[in-house]
Amino acid sequence: MFCANAELRFNLDKTVFDDTLRVIKETRNELFHSNPIKDRKKVVEACERILNALQFHLGDYDADLGAAQCSQVPPTVNRA
């Protein structure tokens, strides 16, 4: 599922993976309880590491999302 460490340019071993996911999990829990994110940069870097290992790049996703166009579906059911 993950690309090779040489391609990633960092070692994604079990310890790094667990530490990275712990940051994401703790942030998710904070958000779930309506608490502010303490270190947003650390969270973004953790997400980028996991996404890069899955061969997704947050910058590419952000650019694609920015270029996306939504179209509204017209309503077909009359209001009672």
Side-chain angles (χ1 to χ4, degrees):
M1 173 185 321
F2 296 103
C3 59
N5 288 340
E7 189 177 343
L8 287 173
R9 295 190 201 118
F10 68 89
N11 186 21
L12 185 64
D13 60 14
K14 182 174 176 12
T15 303
V16 172
F17 182 81
D18 288 345
D19 291 346
T20 304
L21 282 186
R22 185 177 304 109
V23 169
I24 295 169
K25 183 180 113 179
E26 288 172 357
T27 302
R28 180 210 57 196
N29 291 343
E30 291 296 317
L31 290 172
F32 183 76
H33 293 288
S34 301
N35 295 325
I37 299 173
K38 293 180 179 88
D39 190 353
R40 182 172 282 174
K41 184 175 186 227
K42 183 178 178 180
V43 175
V44 171
E45 287 174 356
C47 292
E48 283 183 309
R49 284 189 179 278
I50 295 299
L51 288 171
N52 284 343
L54 292 168
Q55 296 183 341
F56 288 97
H57 189 268
L58 195 56
D60 293 342
Y61 176 76
D62 190 47
D64 290 345
L65 186 61
Q69 293 185 356
C70 297
S71 60
Q72 188 173 6
V73 178
T76 57
V77 177
N78 290 331
R79 207 171 180 191

